[in-house]
Amino acid sequence: MSLTQKLKIAWAKSDGTSIREHTDKLLENLKLLRSLYGEDIEKACPVGLRSYLWKALEIACEYHDYGKLHCKFQREVVKNKNYPDSYVEKIRHNLLSPAFMENLDDEFLRDICALTIIHHHRVETGNDVAEKVKEVASKEFGISIQSWHKRLLRRLEYEALIYLSKKHEKPMENLRNFYILLKGLLLRIDHASSNKDIESLEVEPIRDVAKVIKDKKGFELNDLQEFVLKNRDKDLLLSAPTGYGKTEAGFIYLEGKGFFTIPVRTSANALYLRAKDLFGEKAGLLHSTALNFLIEENRNHLTGLIVDYEYARNFSKALLVCTPDQLFPFVFAYKGFEKSLAVLSYSRVVVDEFQLFEPHTLGFLVEGIKLAKKVGAKVMLMTATVPEFIREDLPDFTEKVFDNPKPRHNLKLIKDSVLSENALRLIKEKSQEGKVLVILNTVRRAVDLYDALKKEGLKPNLLHSRFIQLQRKQREKEIESFFKEGNGGIWITTQLAEVSLDLDADFLITEYSTPDSLFQRLGRVNRKGKKQVEEPNAYIFTEDCSGIGGVYRKSIHEYSKGKLREGIWTEQDKRNLLSEIYSRETLSKIDPKYMEDYSKAKEYVRDIWNTLGLISQESRKKAQELFRDIHSITVIPIYYKDKVEALIQNYKNSTEKEEKIQALNQILDYTFNIPAYMPKDNMLERIKGLETFNLHWLKAPYDEEKGLAELREDPELSSDNVW
């Protein structure tokens, strides 16, 4: 039987898809990719190697799975033990595939394609591996693997790349960039072609965004949006206050294909709904609880939900709203990181509110932005203010500041605790005058104030991040409805309200955090600037503040507290204070560790890339733990174990896709997220049978009225210290 016939018969997938069918699907997606984004991808490819790109990708797509002809693979995938067996040792198909490549006159093209094919799945290489492949090729197929193939099999992936650089006299940096692009595109095409839930690698790009916004929203572009429209060919660094139309500016920048990243999942959900309203199915959502949100939003249309979600997971949507942890961990050069960088080569990225991150995460993001730009991405950063050291590290960005000239905030400073009788009396008085939003630094402090106000006979409402999804979604609807339609009353919340909810309070009462956080909170009072500010509308309690040293850096809290003043604050006033505090000079004086953490994170990423990713797994894991600001664990309080175990059984028993989706949604309703670095091992217990969704039982007390107030009973590790 000829090789052509074997490929038509042999299975590539357990559903009976043949190797030929699967390969043709890859070639079809390659053609689509080139037609939609070929010009941008070519621009991202190193000039001296550009002529090889499409031919190399075609060869890699064609031969990547030929090794699945191996009898051991076929016996396993077909589940038929009667399948002919040549009694050779089992090997990974990608190691064998290059043995079937036709002779190419261009040795470089042959070598780079073979290396890409070998490593498009995780494999070990070495002398023993090369000998096993040689034996299988000879005994089962009667072919001899060539010396060039053996040399690639004997080396680690990026050691082989160094070898090819010397052999073919190609500059190492150019060759590595070319290889990352080639391998990344192969991975994207292969994964999309293997996914039965999606039809193609990419959806159509988004066009005429400014016109869509004008037509659907019924307003003309403002100065910020016009500036972005005229400067889309540049990398932009923009500063604008809350309510200035930054979201629409971001959409305009992302015309074509792009990623809109925002740190808070709730904000991402709201932003996705705005994107979907404008661009329909071309918009997608991706973060750790995105599936739960999508199920909630599509209860009557579950059939297409998985398709929609899978397009997002494969980076196939034209506009993808996501959290940074879905895109930027490529800085750690994890296995398959090339896939993220490859899609960035023809994409645009908006990074919103990046000033919210801790310095080590900020360092990782800055290096990630540099790498994204290096592979061809266009990047726009949007923030309340730009720290001096960020400006220095990203010097080739076009920067512009936009201001709302009308002051919106009048501050009153109170040297007391937010739990004092003075505070309780103020909250009661203001709740009789209008809508009061209280924002506190920790969940524990929010619950304590809630209890104190109830003892005073008041009826406050409570929202924080440690309610299960079922309760949190309901409370989020209630709080947004209250601040749109309510009269007087009190809502107590945490940092959750700083960026993730669309609220416009009459009065803000808060304990002091740090100026960046405080100014975010101020954005939730007199949001549209239509109310008078002759009298205070924001009351800041400056003593006995929770979360200092854990949630907020003590040095910045103490230093900036002395810089606050009472009275009216303009946007320029806020920006001036932030610029002073977050200057390299001030931080070096008041908090040397801030700049040290920031610099160490940047150095770590540079070390990874200077050593071609050849860094120990232990060291890599340690760095990923530092990226903890945006990593979390999904937990279910043990309080709901009986209910959830019954739902898990329903999930396991479901046979229809829609039934399974509904069962999963019911399970996810009982979850919430906690930072990955927080829980001790004995606090968590993995839910067996649902490992795919990475769920854990959380052994901590839960109250349906107040959520989870305390994560740990150990006083040294209370929520005030680590949350």
Side-chain angles (χ1 to χ4, degrees):
M1 187 184 299
S2 70
L3 178 62
T4 300
Q5 291 173 311
K6 288 179 180 178
L7 293 172
K8 290 180 179 179
I9 295 172
W11 287 16
K13 306 292 177 184
S14 58
D15 63 1
T17 301
S18 71
I19 297 174
R20 185 69 264 159
E21 288 170 332
H22 175 58
T23 301
D24 287 344
K25 183 66 175 176
L26 265 76
L27 295 171
E28 179 184 322
N29 272 319
L30 167 57
K31 185 178 179 181
L32 173 68
L33 179 67
R34 188 172 184 180
S35 68
L36 293 179
Y37 299 108
E39 188 175 332
D40 291 331
I41 294 171
E42 287 172 16
K43 288 178 183 176
C45 187
V47 176
L49 296 168
R50 197 169 289 171
S51 61
Y52 290 101
L53 179 63
W54 298 113
K55 183 62 177 176
L57 192 53
E58 182 183 353
I59 292 170
C61 288
E62 175 62 41
Y63 290 99
H64 80 292
D65 269 1
Y66 274 34
K68 288 183 176 179
L69 291 168
H70 179 32
C71 61
K72 300 293 186 184
F73 180 89
Q74 289 300 313
R75 282 168 65 89
E76 190 173 292
V77 75
V78 178
K79 307 297 183 189
N80 182 356
K81 299 307 177 186
N82 294 321
Y83 195 93
D85 191 341
S86 61
Y87 299 101
V88 291
E89 193 168 346
K90 178 182 175 181
I91 59 170
R92 294 294 301 273
H93 72 272
N94 39 315
L95 297 169
L96 179 62
S97 290
F100 296 94
M101 287 173 57
E102 295 180 6
N103 290 326
L104 297 172
D105 294 333
D106 192 314
E107 291 187 5
F108 170 73
L109 188 62
R110 175 200 66 195
D111 287 350
I112 199 69
C113 289
L115 184 65
T116 305
I117 291 169
I118 289 169
H119 291 283
H120 82 279
H121 291 301
R122 186 186 296 271
V123 287
E124 292 184 3
T125 51
N127 290 328
D128 291 346
V129 172
E131 291 305 311
K132 289 176 184 176
V133 174
K134 176 184 176 182
E135 180 183 1
V136 171
S138 175
K139 289 185 177 180
E140 185 175 356
F141 298 101
I143 55 178
S144 299
I145 65 169
Q146 303 297 309
S147 57
W148 56 266
H149 188 180
K150 292 179 188 175
R151 292 190 186 102
L152 297 178
L153 291 172
R154 288 172 179 155
R155 291 174 165 85
L156 295 172
E157 182 176 14
Y158 278 86
E159 287 177 346
L161 202 61
I162 295 171
Y163 160 71
L164 293 184
S165 172
K166 294 175 181 176
K167 176 182 177 182
H168 297 290
E169 299 181 341
K170 307 288 185 186
M172 187 59 217
E173 184 174 358
N174 283 356
L175 182 59
R176 180 173 62 169
N177 291 341
F178 177 79
Y179 179 71
I180 287 171
L181 184 60
L182 177 62
K183 182 182 174 185
L185 291 176
L186 174 63
L187 289 174
R188 287 213 67 228
I189 293 169
D190 188 22
H191 294 168
S193 302
S194 300
N195 192 326
K196 293 298 180 183
D197 288 311
I198 63 177
E199 294 182 4
S200 61
L201 174 65
E202 296 284 1
V203 302
E204 286 288 325
I206 293 174
R207 302 297 182 203
D208 301 317
V209 175
K211 185 177 185 304
V212 171
I213 290 173
K214 289 178 183 179
D215 291 346
K216 289 197 174 184
K217 295 292 184 180
F219 60 73
E220 293 300 312
L221 303 185
N222 65 16
D223 54 346
L224 165 64
Q225 295 152 1
E226 286 285 2
F227 178 83
V228 171
L229 182 61
K230 293 174 182 176
N231 291 276
R232 288 185 66 256
D233 59 329
K234 302 173 183 174
D235 298 305
L236 302 178
L237 181 51
L238 306 180
S239 176
T242 304
Y244 207 91
K246 289 188 290 183
T247 297
E248 285 74 20
F251 291 157
I252 290 169
Y253 190 77
L254 295 177
E255 181 165 317
K257 183 178 178 70
F259 297 83
F260 202 128
T261 73
I262 190 163
V264 182
R265 286 183 294 272
T266 313
S267 298
N269 293 343
L271 198 152
Y272 160 72
L273 292 178
R274 292 170 70 176
K276 189 175 182 183
D277 181 55
L278 289 170
F279 312 116
E281 299 306 315
K282 292 183 180 181
L285 178 68
L286 188 62
H287 57 69
S288 60
T289 58
L291 183 58
N292 183 224
F293 177 77
L294 291 170
I295 292 171
E296 185 67 25
E297 289 295 313
N298 295 272
R299 285 188 182 275
N300 298 321
H301 304 282
L302 293 178
T303 304
L305 177 113
I306 288 295
V307 174
D308 194 62
Y309 182 64
E310 287 299 320
Y311 269 111
R313 285 207 324 133
N314 280 271
F315 293 167
S316 299
K317 291 287 187 176
L319 193 157
L320 192 62
V321 179
C322 62
T323 46
D325 60 311
Q326 301 296 321
L327 185 62
F328 282 100
F330 65 76
V331 298
F332 302 119
Y334 60 85
K335 201 70 178 175
F337 74 92
E338 299 93 346
K339 182 178 176 180
S340 295
L341 277 178
V343 73
L344 286 173
S345 71
Y346 57 96
S347 300
R348 292 169 168 268
V349 182
V350 168
V351 184
D352 196 12
E353 307 289 5
F354 69 90
Q355 80 282 358
L356 297 180
F357 294 111
E358 282 294 297
H360 46 258
T361 303
L362 199 53
F364 291 139
L365 285 173
V366 165
E367 292 303 311
I369 288 165
K370 290 179 182 177
L371 289 167
K373 280 165 46 60
K374 186 176 286 189
V375 300
K378 287 290 181 185
V379 181
M380 182 168 85
L381 307 178
M382 297 194 298
T383 179
T385 188
V386 184
E388 171 199 343
F389 57 89
I390 297 292
R391 188 182 290 112
E392 292 172 357
D393 285 340
L394 299 172
D396 51 348
F397 277 70
T398 298
E399 185 178 346
K400 191 169 178 63
V401 175
F402 296 86
D403 259 344
N404 189 334
K406 187 177 180 181
R408 295 182 295 163
H409 305 118
N410 188 331
L411 276 57
K412 175 73 174 175
L413 305 181
I414 303 172
K415 291 193 69 173
D416 208 340
S417 167
V418 77
L419 292 177
S420 67
E421 290 184 10
N422 186 17
L424 300 181
R425 186 166 54 252
L426 176 67
I427 294 170
K428 181 177 181 179
E429 289 174 1
K430 293 303 173 185
S431 69
Q432 293 168 349
E433 296 178 28
K435 294 172 283 190
V436 175
L437 177 64
V438 184
I439 303 182
L440 302 172
N441 295 348
T442 62
V443 174
R444 177 73 267 170
R445 180 58 57 90
V447 172
D448 287 345
L449 181 61
Y450 175 79
D451 288 338
L453 289 172
K454 286 192 70 178
K455 286 180 182 177
E456 293 293 316
L458 298 176
K459 296 181 179 179
N461 300 284
L462 179 65
L463 172 64
H464 55 70
S465 61
R466 298 208 298 255
F467 280 103
I468 61 169
Q469 291 289 334
L470 190 64
Q471 295 164 344
R472 177 170 163 175
K473 284 181 288 190
Q474 181 58 37
R475 289 172 188 245
E476 285 177 353
K477 290 177 182 176
E478 290 172 0
I479 191 173
E480 291 191 331
S481 174
F482 170 82
F483 282 104
K484 285 177 182 175
E485 303 166 5
N487 295 313
I490 307 161
W491 269 91
I492 302 169
T493 183
T494 58
Q495 303 100 309
L496 178 70
E498 289 180 17
V499 293
S500 62
L501 297 172
D502 184 10
L503 311 177
D504 190 2
D506 296 315
F507 303 102
L508 171 71
I509 296 174
T510 181
E511 57 183 338
Y512 184 52
S513 47
T514 51
D516 51 324
S517 169
L518 174 63
F519 296 157
Q520 289 284 344
R521 295 176 187 188
L522 290 177
R524 268 56 200 164
V525 62
N526 195 15
R527 189 166 173 81
K528 297 177 182 177
K530 294 181 178 179
K531 301 170 185 176
Q532 297 300 315
V533 292
E534 283 81 7
E535 297 296 326
N537 57 10
Y539 297 83
I540 297 96
F541 287 81
T542 60
E543 306 306 310
D544 181 37
C545 300
S546 65
I548 307 306
V551 183
Y552 301 102
R553 300 182 84 88
K554 185 175 182 179
S555 57
I556 295 175
H557 176 269
E558 293 302 316
Y559 179 81
S560 62
K561 191 163 68 170
K563 300 289 183 178
L564 290 180
R565 61 165 176 79
E566 292 189 330
I568 293 174
W569 281 68
T570 66
E571 298 303 322
Q572 183 65 50
D573 292 331
K574 298 172 190 175
R575 195 161 49 251
N576 288 344
L577 178 57
L578 290 170
S579 296
E580 177 192 343
I581 292 170
Y582 289 97
S583 68
R584 192 182 296 274
E585 180 183 356
T586 301
L587 287 171
S588 298
K589 180 174 64 176
I590 69 171
D591 191 353
K593 195 171 187 308
Y594 187 105
M595 294 308 302
E596 181 183 335
D597 288 349
Y598 174 74
S599 298
K600 278 185 176 178
K602 292 195 304 171
E603 289 168 10
Y604 182 83
V605 173
R606 288 198 292 265
D607 284 346
I608 288 178
W609 290 84
N610 288 339
T611 57
L612 304 173
L614 301 175
I615 194 165
S616 73
Q617 288 300 315
E618 182 181 349
S619 180
R620 196 188 310 272
K621 184 178 179 182
K622 187 175 180 181
Q624 287 173 314
E625 288 171 358
L626 285 175
F627 211 38
R628 64 195 186 186
D629 298 53
I630 52 177
H631 278 300
S632 61
I633 293 173
T634 303
V635 299
I636 299 176
I638 206 82
Y639 177 87
Y640 292 108
K641 189 163 188 177
D642 290 343
K643 281 186 179 180
V644 174
E645 283 187 333
L647 296 174
I648 290 172
Q649 198 57 50
N650 288 344
Y651 174 84
K652 291 180 180 178
N653 294 338
S654 299
T655 54
E656 297 296 323
K657 184 174 286 187
E658 285 195 17
E659 289 179 1
K660 222 166 182 63
I661 292 172
Q662 288 173 327
L664 174 61
N665 186 50
Q666 290 176 315
I667 294 167
L668 294 178
D669 273 342
Y670 290 90
T671 66
F672 61 86
N673 288 279
I674 57 176
Y677 66 90
M678 182 177 289
K680 293 179 179 178
D681 291 341
N682 62 5
M683 296 292 291
L684 296 180
E685 178 184 303
R686 190 70 170 263
I687 296 179
K688 297 177 176 62
L690 284 171
E691 284 83 357
T692 305
F693 300 100
N694 198 25
L695 301 178
H696 297 76
W697 295 118
L698 180 67
K699 300 176 182 177
Y702 187 85
D703 185 309
E704 290 193 324
E705 180 187 350
K706 296 183 284 191
L708 182 70
E710 199 74 76
L711 187 60
R712 290 170 167 166
E713 295 177 359
D714 185 344
E716 295 300 315
L717 294 168
S718 68
S719 59
D720 280 1
N721 289 327
V722 296
W723 189 260

